[in-house]
Amino acid sequence: MEAVDQRILSVKDAVLTRRSIRKFKAQPIPKEVLEEILSLALKAPSSNNLQPWRVVVVQNPELKERLREAANNQAQVSSAPAVLVVYSDMKDTLEHVEETLHPGFSLEQKQIRAANLRKAWENKSDEECENWGKAQGFILLAFLMLIARSYGYDTVPMGGFNASKVKEILNLPPHVAITALLPIGIADETGFEHHRHDLQRVVRWQ
């Protein structure tokens, strides 16, 4: 599938050209492109392959306006043609944990592994479970941003929002944890150049 600029960017180019964009063109993203971006991003790794992440694709203008209010009135929420709401649902994950087990496992291996996974979480609170799932969601978030950029689309990861209001707007269960809102679309601004610590500032070699 072709990107907006008629080419798929390499991982390196996607990293180097990614910007946090807060103003988008009013150009819808074809559903098949969004599906491919999401399908590729869902190849992201997760601990024990539990894949606790879930995504709501919000394109309805009225819903986007309500999400904007829940996100401190940040304009990019309604400016973008779509907003990806990334959240975790560990309750659903553990109830259906067999779905995450590799088909190469025998039935007995699946039963043992599923039982062990459920036991590992049985004494943890909803908050502990969902905070863990939320952290896994950041892996998916990174994949989404880079894959979107490789297809010629831009994004901005958002952590400033009222989670309770977002859950209410999208009819999500109270126990889930929202990792981020991710507006996505074609940039209508340049965005800031990268300004990051250099290698020597953050990396130690031993």
Side-chain angles (χ1 to χ4, degrees):
M1 188 175 296
E2 292 183 336
V4 173
D5 62 0
Q6 303 302 307
R7 65 192 180 98
I8 302 294
L9 298 181
S10 68
V11 173
K12 180 179 179 179
D13 286 342
V15 170
L16 292 176
T17 62
R18 191 208 64 80
R19 302 285 186 271
S20 289
I21 296 298
R22 294 171 176 82
K23 187 177 180 183
F24 297 89
K25 294 181 179 179
Q27 182 173 331
I29 306 172
K31 184 178 180 181
E32 60 271 19
V33 175
L34 271 175
E35 286 180 339
E36 180 134 346
I37 290 170
L38 286 161
S39 294
L40 289 170
L42 289 173
K43 304 299 183 188
S46 60
S47 182
N48 287 308
N49 196 41
L50 284 181
Q51 307 165 66
W53 45 60
R54 306 289 184 265
V55 182
V56 181
V57 181
V58 182
Q59 297 173 293
N60 181 286
E62 293 180 5
L63 276 182
K64 286 194 296 174
E65 284 297 332
R66 293 178 64 192
L67 282 179
R68 175 174 174 167
E69 292 178 10
N72 305 316
N73 201 36
Q74 295 180 77
Q76 61 265 31
V77 177
S78 53
S79 166
V83 178
L84 309 181
V85 180
V86 179
Y87 69 98
S88 67
D89 190 340
M90 280 294 289
K91 187 170 290 187
D92 179 65
T93 297
L94 292 171
E95 285 177 358
H96 301 92
V97 73
E98 287 81 4
E99 295 176 358
T100 69
L101 301 179
H102 196 278
F105 291 159
S106 69
L107 177 59
E108 181 180 8
Q109 287 174 317
K110 287 183 179 180
Q111 290 172 336
I112 293 172
R113 191 167 179 83
N116 287 340
L117 285 168
R118 289 190 174 106
K119 186 174 180 59
W121 294 96
E122 65 183 0
N123 294 321
K124 296 186 184 296
S125 66
D126 280 352
E127 183 178 11
E128 288 176 305
C129 290
E130 296 307 337
N131 282 340
W132 183 88
K134 180 179 180 179
Q136 298 294 305
F138 282 109
I139 304 173
L140 177 67
L141 186 68
F143 271 57
L144 282 168
M145 289 189 287
L146 289 181
I147 294 166
R149 181 65 202 130
S150 76
Y151 274 71
Y153 292 95
D154 288 282
T155 58
V156 56
M158 296 177 59
F161 52 84
N162 184 312
S164 296
K165 288 183 179 179
V166 173
K167 292 178 192 180
E168 180 182 351
I169 292 166
L170 300 179
N171 196 27
L172 297 175
H175 66 268
V176 306
I178 301 174
T179 297
L181 309 186
L182 188 69
I184 177 174
I186 299 174
D188 198 23
E189 63 177 5
T190 303
F192 291 107
E193 292 289 329
H194 292 153
H195 176 65
R196 301 290 189 272
H197 289 307
D198 61 25
L199 207 64
Q200 290 69 30
R201 177 69 175 83
V202 298
V203 177
R204 291 178 60 188
W205 301 83
Q206 293 183 323

